[in-house]
């Protein structure tokens, strides 16, 4: 699954640690998602959509 988490996070001026804190996950989890090494669970994907104010499909898309 591809995503634009890194770009969205950068637009908001958030570090990986800041985004991780907002989502109650580790910075390593955010790094793994951004680099495509980890696909988030559905609850985490919904939480990410909420913090970015977007729909899930605006963040994640199939490869």
């Amino acid at each position: 699954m591809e995503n634009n988490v890194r770009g969205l996070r950068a637009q908001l001026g958030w570090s990986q640690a800041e985004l991780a804190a907002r989502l109650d996950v580790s910075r390593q989890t955010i790094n793994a998602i951004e680099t495509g090494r980890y696909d988030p669970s559905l609850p985490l994907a919904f939480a990410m959509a909420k913090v970015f104010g977007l729909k899930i499909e605006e963040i994640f898309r199939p490869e």
Side-chain angles (χ1 to χ4, degrees), residues 2-37:
E2 295 180 352
N3 71 76
N4 59 349
V5 171
R6 183 175 301 198
L8 293 168
R9 179 178 58 75
Q11 287 176 357
L12 295 169
W14 295 344
S15 67
Q16 288 183 342
E18 288 174 295
L19 179 57
R22 291 173 187 268
L23 295 169
D24 197 27
V25 298
S26 70
R27 186 198 58 77
Q28 289 81 7
T29 296
I30 299 302
N31 182 270
I33 292 169
E34 287 185 355
T35 58
R37 290 182 289 115

